[in-house]
């Protein structure tokens, strides 16, 4: 069964304190792994897609990496505006559905 | 581009009432889907469609119907609302194999 597990559930960081969010996945064949950001009261907003182990993507203070079993979202020198819930999802080669994790709620304190 | 548009944004229903949540996209995406989001449970797939005239069930389909008569529209119907259907509902669309784009959500309360 395709599954996605994210950790930690919640993370509080001081402004400038770098850290990483984890997304572990089990999928029959990986078509893609997706990272989203969700602000309160809004729909998820796409950040990155990773397709194969070893791939990395960067956007401002965020960097996503992928291995055969997990993905990390590294946040470097975060700012309060990075506070949000970060969602991870996988799509298997056998279908078109996305399987989402429950997310990591990030709070960055000024 | 409007992207994915959901209406309404908020709705309160009485138990047993029916209603339709509207979803429209203007990106010519083949794949459209409906999710519900509940605290601690993440996004769960209700129904999805890979093209006009084709729909299929997701993880939690009971109590919901969908149809896809055009590429642009994918309405979700609640047949007889129950308190357990209180949730935030999201519509999403994508090209097959591509990233999903989400609407702003509909917050539904069933009393």
């Amino acid at each position: 069964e395709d599954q996605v597990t994210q950790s930690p559930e919640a993370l509080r960081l001081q402004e400038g304190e770098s850290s990483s969010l984890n997304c572990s996945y089990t999928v029959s064949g990986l078509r893609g792994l997706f990272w989203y950001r969700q602000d309160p009261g809004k729909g998820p907003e796409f950040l990155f897609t990773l397709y194969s182990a070893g791939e990395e993507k960067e956007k401002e203070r965020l960097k996503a990496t992928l291995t055969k079993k997990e993905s990390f979202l590294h946040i470097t020198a975060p700012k309060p505006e990075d506070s949000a819930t970060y969602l991870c999802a996988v799509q298997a080669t056998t279908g078109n559905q996305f399987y989402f994790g429950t997310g990591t709620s990030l709070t960055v304190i000024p | 581009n409007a992207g994915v548009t959901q209406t309404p944004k908020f709705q309160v229903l009485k138990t047993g009432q029916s209603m339709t949540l509207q979803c429209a996209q203007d990106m010519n995406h083949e794949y459209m889907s409906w999710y519900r989001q509940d605290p601690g449970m993440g996004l769960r797939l209700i129904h999805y469609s890979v093209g006009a005239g084709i729909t299929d069930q997701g993880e939690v389909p009971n109590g919901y119907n969908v149809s896809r008569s055009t590429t642009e529209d994918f309405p979700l119907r609640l047949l007889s609302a129950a308190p357990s259907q209180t949730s935030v509902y999201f519509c999403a669309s994508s090209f097959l194999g591509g990233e999903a784009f989400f609407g702003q959500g509909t917050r539904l309360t069933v009393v």
Side-chain angles (χ1 to χ4, degrees):
Chain A
E1 181 179 315
D2 299 334
Q3 277 190 317
V4 178
T5 303
Q6 291 187 247
S7 62
E9 287 186 16
L11 183 62
R12 288 172 65 89
L13 299 173
Q14 290 292 133
E15 184 172 2
E17 179 187 1
S18 301
S19 187
S20 297
L21 283 54
N22 177 261
C23 172
S24 298
Y25 65 92
T26 304
V27 67
S28 49
L30 182 69
R31 173 177 286 168
L33 185 141
F34 303 83
W35 282 99
Y36 289 85
R37 170 190 171 127
Q38 186 175 24
D39 293 300
K42 297 196 173 181
E45 177 185 345
F46 171 72
L47 292 173
F48 303 109
T49 308
L50 301 166
Y51 292 104
S52 57
E55 190 175 0
E56 299 182 351
K57 295 270 180 76
E58 282 190 71
K59 181 180 180 181
E60 296 181 356
R61 295 176 293 282
L62 299 178
K63 179 180 177 180
T65 62
L66 181 65
T67 73
K68 289 187 177 179
K69 293 186 177 181
E70 57 191 351
S71 177
F72 292 94
L73 185 65
H74 306 277
I75 302 177
T76 302
K79 298 182 177 182
E81 53 261 42
D82 294 322
S83 297
T85 295
Y86 290 85
L87 300 171
C88 170
V90 297
Q91 191 177 50
T93 53
T94 52
N96 297 296
Q97 296 112 305
F98 294 88
Y99 297 94
F100 280 86
T102 53
T104 294
S105 176
L106 174 66
T107 303
V108 182
I109 305 161
Chain B
N1 274 351
V4 179
T5 303
Q6 285 185 240
T7 55
K9 291 187 178 180
F10 301 95
Q11 183 70 50
V12 178
L13 287 179
K14 293 183 178 179
T15 298
Q17 286 185 317
S18 62
M19 78 160 294
T20 299
L21 279 62
Q22 301 291 343
C23 176
Q25 54 95 5
D26 62 359
M27 297 172 281
N28 204 31
H29 287 162
E30 308 99 333
Y31 185 80
M32 295 187 74
S33 53
W34 277 100
Y35 295 87
R36 58 177 291 172
Q37 188 173 41
D38 302 291
M41 304 198 72
L43 286 159
R44 292 184 291 169
L45 183 65
I46 304 171
H47 285 286
Y48 65 96
S49 167
V50 297
I54 306 169
T55 63
D56 208 344
Q57 297 181 350
E59 180 185 357
V60 288
N62 292 343
Y64 308 94
N65 270 0
V66 291
S67 60
R68 182 100 180 265
S69 56
T70 67
T71 301
E72 294 79 18
D73 299 300
F74 192 46
L76 178 72
R77 296 183 190 83
L78 278 70
L79 309 174
S80 177
S84 61
Q85 293 178 304
T86 294
S87 186
V88 181
Y89 291 84
F90 288 101
C91 178
S93 74
S94 68
F95 289 118
L96 294 177
E99 67 271 17
F101 293 83
F102 285 81
Q104 290 298 296
T106 296
R107 186 172 296 273
L108 175 68
T109 303
V110 183
V111 299

